[in-house]
Amino acid sequence: MMNFFQALILLLVMASCTQKEKVDLIVSGAMVYTVDKEFSVAEAFAVNNGKIVAIGTSQEISDKYDADTRFDAEGKFIYPGFNDAHCHFNGYAVNLLQYADLRGTKSQEEIYELLKEHHDKFGGEWILGRSWDQNDWEDTGFPDKTKLDELFPDIPVYLVRVDGHAGWCNSKAMELAGISEDTKVQGGEVLLKNGEPTGVLIDNAMGFVGKLIPEITPEQQEKALLEAQKNCFAAGLTSVTDCGLDKATILLMDEMQEAGNLKMRVNAMLNPTQENFDYFVKKGEAYKTDRLLVNTIKIYADGALGSRGALLMADYSDHKGNSGVQIETQDYYDMICQLAYDNNFVVATHAIGDGGNRLMLDTYGRFLKGKNDRRWRIEHSQIINSDDFKKFAEFSIVPSIQPTHCTSDMPWAEDRLGSERIKGAYAYQTLLQQNGWLPVGTDFPVENIYPLYTFYSAVFRTDHEGWPEGGWHKDEGLTREQTLRAMTSWAAKSSFEEDEKGQLVPGMWADFVVLDTDLMKAEPKEVLNTKILSTWSAGERVF
C-alpha cells in the first residue's frame, strides 16, 4: 500500500512531466522551410528572447511549450526572413524624401512632365530625379540638356540614371559645378557634342554635381530610414547589406537600432573615406551588435553596362573606340586591399565588365594567394571572361549577384557585348559552382526592392510577361532551392552571420516571413502574384 510520502513524490513527478516550458511565441500550423543543411520542412517552432528554441510538428511544440502569444499560420508557408545581400538602403530612403521617381518612363517628354509636377509639389532649390533609363525610350541615345534648360533655366536639375552610374543635368547645374568642355576626371567622362557638354556625366564626373546636392538633416534622414524600413518589411526583408555608407549614417542607424526604432538588420559597408578608415577599420575588428555589422570596405572597379561605363577587355560591340572606364588606379586598389587585409576587413568591389572583374580578381589574388575564409566579394560579377571563372574558386572570392539585373538588361545586353562575350554574362550557375554558394540581392533602388522578383528572375530568367519563352540563357539560372538559400542562409554567410540568421533552426534569430505561396512548387505567375502575409523580426511582428 502506497504511503503518504510515496503518493506525494508520484504527484510531483506527474506534475513535472506535464509542466510546459514557457516561451514568448509559438508558431504552428505552417509549412516551414527551415533552409537548414538538409533543406528540411517542419510545421511549428517556439521562440524565446527573439530566438528559435525548438522546431518540429505542431503537436510536438504544443506538448512541450506554452506561450501567451501564439500564431496559427493556417497552412501558409514560412521562410527565413529575406536578406538583400546588395542594396542601397539609405540611398533608397533619401530618394523617397528628395527625388522624383523616373523609373519606367517611356520618353523624355514623360520625364519633363514628372519633373514639373514634382517641383510644383515640393519646390526646393534643386530639381532632383532618379532611375531614368534611355534603353526604355524609342530613341535609345543619351539625352541632353536642351529641354531641361528651356523648362528650368534658373533652377539646377540633376537626374541620376537607373544604375547610378550616369547623371543628366541642365546648364545651371553644370555652371554651379564649374563643368566645361575642358573638364576631365579619372574614372569618368563629361559627354560632349559639337565641342560642348551635353549635360550627361558618366561615373566619377557625376561627383562634380553630386557634391552640391543639399544634404538632408539627421531628423529628415531618420524619418526617411523608417519609411524605407516600412517598405522593406512589407516586401519580406528582415536584413539588408547597404553598399557604401559614411560614418554619420552608420552611427545614426546604430542609435536608432539601440532605441528600438530601426529593427532592420544592416550589414553596413563602408565608403572608402579616411574618416571611416580611422573610426572603423584601423581598430582591427568588426563593429557588431545584434542588428548592425561593420566589417567591409566598398569600392568600385568600373561603371555600368547600360551607360557603357563597365570596363571591358575589348571595345563595346555597339560603340567602337569605347571599352568603358576604370574608376581608380591600380595603386589605389592595392592600398585598399592592404588596409583591409591587415585589419581583417572584407573588400567588396563593384565590377561589371570582364575587364573590371579580371582587374579585381587578379588584385585580390595577389593578397589572398589561395584558399581562405576572408570572404572578399565582387559585387555584380556580371561579365566574366571564360578564363577567369576559376579564380573565384582559386582565391575563395564571393560573387555577389543581382538576378533582376539579368532580366532588366537582357533586351540590349548582347548589343553591348556581342554573341561571344554574352556567354560569360549573368552566368549565375557557373559562378555558383566555383565555391558552392553565393549571395543574391536586388541593388535597390536601381531595381525594385521586392525580393520575390529576385527569386523569379533567378529561377525563370524571363521578364514578367514570360519573355523569352523558356528563359534567357536558362542553363545559367539557379534552382529554386539554390535561390532560396542565396536569399537567406548564403546571404547571411556572405557577412559571416550564418550562425545567427538565415535558417529557422534552434539558436537562430526568429526572423521569418509568411507567404500565401509555396515558392518551391508555384508556377511563374503565381510567384509574381505571391502575397507577403506577415513579416517577423526576432519573434516580433513588424508587418
Side-chain angles (χ1 to χ4, degrees):
M1 188 174 188
M2 186 180 298
N3 63 32
F4 171 77
F5 292 106
Q6 288 173 320
L8 180 61
I9 291 170
L10 181 61
L11 286 170
L12 290 172
V13 170
M14 291 174 64
S16 66
C17 289
T18 58
Q19 189 173 10
K20 297 181 180 181
E21 183 179 335
K22 191 76 171 180
V23 293
D24 296 328
L25 170 69
I26 290 176
V27 176
S28 61
M31 185 168 181
V32 182
Y33 283 98
T34 66
V35 195
D36 62 4
K37 186 177 180 180
E38 292 76 27
F39 206 69
S40 57
V41 177
E43 287 183 334
F45 53 90
V47 177
N48 205 41
N49 296 321
K51 293 188 176 182
I52 294 174
V53 295
I55 190 159
T57 67
S58 295
Q59 190 65 53
E60 287 169 342
I61 299 300
S62 179
D63 286 347
K64 188 173 181 181
Y65 297 95
D66 187 31
D68 292 334
T69 303
R70 291 173 175 268
F71 176 71
D72 182 354
E74 300 179 339
K76 298 303 189 290
F77 305 90
I78 293 181
Y79 308 84
F82 299 136
N83 183 344
D84 194 313
H86 180 114
C87 70
H88 301 274
F89 178 62
N90 180 67
Y92 171 74
V94 173
N95 284 358
L96 292 174
L97 199 69
Q98 284 188 302
Y99 287 73
D101 184 5
L102 309 179
R103 183 183 304 277
T105 47
K106 299 301 181 184
S107 67
Q108 294 184 40
E109 288 68 30
E110 188 178 346
I111 287 176
Y112 302 138
E113 289 303 315
L114 286 173
L115 295 178
K116 286 188 285 186
E117 291 173 13
H118 182 79
H119 189 60
D120 288 344
K121 184 175 180 181
F122 295 104
E125 299 176 4
W126 283 71
I127 296 175
L128 304 173
R130 174 83 197 220
S131 296
W132 58 273
D133 184 354
Q134 83 280 6
N135 294 306
D136 292 338
W137 307 340
E138 186 175 344
D139 178 1
T140 58
F142 273 126
D144 64 29
K145 63 187 179 181
T146 306
K147 189 68 174 181
L148 294 179
D149 286 351
E150 180 184 321
L151 293 172
F152 312 107
D154 302 316
I155 304 172
V157 179
Y158 183 58
L159 313 175
V160 180
R161 193 180 181 277
V162 65
D163 55 16
H165 288 269
W168 170 23
C169 52
N170 66 350
S171 293
K172 186 65 176 179
M174 289 192 290
E175 175 191 330
L176 293 173
I179 293 173
S180 71
E181 64 275 11
D182 298 319
T183 301
K184 306 292 181 186
V185 61
Q186 162 70 36
E189 183 181 4
V190 176
L191 296 191
L192 303 178
K193 185 176 181 179
N194 299 324
E196 68 173 83
T198 65
V200 173
L201 313 174
I202 304 296
D203 286 305
N204 281 355
M206 299 167 66
F208 293 119
V209 175
K211 67 184 180 183
L212 302 178
I213 305 303
E215 291 189 9
I216 62 174
T217 67
E219 292 76 19
Q220 290 174 312
Q221 188 175 17
E222 182 171 350
K223 180 180 178 182
L225 285 168
L226 293 177
E227 189 66 21
Q229 172 179 253
K230 178 182 173 183
N231 292 351
C232 287
F233 284 153
L237 288 166
T238 56
S239 293
V240 295
T241 291
D242 197 329
C243 295
L245 295 172
D246 292 326
K247 173 188 169 186
T249 295
I250 295 172
L251 296 184
L252 174 62
M253 287 180 173
D254 196 16
E255 181 182 310
M256 292 173 66
Q257 289 171 332
E258 182 67 25
N261 299 322
L262 189 65
K263 302 178 188 298
M264 181 64 64
R265 300 191 200 280
V266 180
N267 173 26
M269 290 185 175
L270 298 169
N271 283 327
T273 66
Q274 193 61 48
E275 183 179 45
N276 277 341
F277 297 158
D278 292 340
Y279 190 86
F280 292 108
V281 181
K282 292 181 179 178
K283 292 180 179 178
E285 59 182 8
Y287 180 78
K288 182 82 171 69
T289 72
D290 286 345
R291 295 191 182 274
L292 182 65
L293 173 64
V294 184
N295 72 349
T296 303
I297 304 169
K298 166 71 186 305
I299 56 176
Y300 289 82
D302 62 358
L305 192 65
S307 49
R308 297 186 184 86
L311 182 63
L312 301 181
M313 294 167 63
D315 288 353
Y316 279 83
S317 296
D318 61 356
H319 192 186
K320 298 303 180 186
N322 177 21
S323 59
V325 295
Q326 179 176 319
I327 298 296
E328 303 288 353
T329 64
Q330 183 65 63
D331 287 346
Y332 176 86
Y333 298 127
D334 290 344
M335 180 272 291
I336 294 293
C337 288
Q338 190 69 62
L339 177 69
Y341 192 90
D342 291 345
N343 290 281
N344 202 31
F345 262 60
V346 175
V347 184
T349 307
H350 164 116
I352 289 193
D354 54 3
N357 277 280
R358 174 170 288 185
L359 169 69
M360 296 316 301
L361 287 166
D362 290 345
T363 300
Y364 283 10
R366 287 197 297 275
F367 289 86
L368 300 174
K369 294 182 171 58
K371 295 283 187 182
N372 62 86
D373 193 35
R374 287 184 175 257
R375 303 184 199 180
W376 286 18
R377 304 164 50 141
I378 292 189
E379 305 301 313
H380 311 305
S381 303
Q382 204 159 291
I383 305 148
I384 312 295
N385 184 277
S386 59
D387 293 334
D388 292 335
F389 282 105
K390 63 181 182 291
K391 296 175 185 177
F392 287 92
E394 183 180 355
F395 304 116
S396 304
I397 296 168
V398 180
S400 169
I401 63 169
Q402 301 75 46
T404 49
H405 284 339
C406 169
T407 49
S408 291
D409 296 356
M410 64 185 179
W412 47 263
E414 190 165 343
D415 292 338
R416 296 279 194 278
L417 300 172
S419 58
E420 281 304 309
R421 276 186 299 201
I422 201 68
K423 295 174 184 177
Y426 315 92
Y428 301 150
Q429 191 62 234
T430 302
L431 287 168
L432 170 63
Q433 299 311 316
Q434 303 312 307
N435 296 310
W437 67 280
L438 50 66
V440 303
T442 63
D443 203 10
F444 76 75
V446 173
E447 301 280 358
N448 191 291
I449 71 169
Y450 201 48
L452 291 176
Y453 291 170
T454 298
F455 185 92
Y456 179 93
S457 292
V459 173
F460 303 115
R461 303 271 289 202
T462 73
D463 65 18
H464 290 185
E465 283 69 51
W467 181 88
E469 186 176 352
W472 190 66
H473 297 278
K474 184 64 165 28
D475 57 323
E476 287 293 357
L478 303 179
T479 68
R480 295 174 193 245
E481 180 181 329
Q482 289 167 349
T483 303
L484 186 58
R485 289 189 185 279
M487 295 167 64
T488 55
S489 60
W490 291 344
K493 184 174 181 177
S494 70
S495 55
F496 291 90
E497 296 177 287
E498 66 268 32
D499 294 330
E500 302 172 33
K501 61 186 183 181
Q503 301 177 59
L504 298 177
V505 297
M508 298 283 190
W509 288 112
D511 298 348
F512 60 96
V513 59
V514 184
L515 306 185
D516 68 347
T517 301
D518 186 345
L519 297 178
M520 297 300 105
K521 298 177 181 177
E523 294 295 323
K525 280 296 183 185
E526 292 175 323
V527 172
L528 289 178
N529 294 329
T530 295
K531 290 184 173 58
I532 310 291
L533 301 178
S534 61
T535 303
W536 302 65
S537 177
E540 176 189 355
R541 186 168 182 168
V542 291
F543 168 74

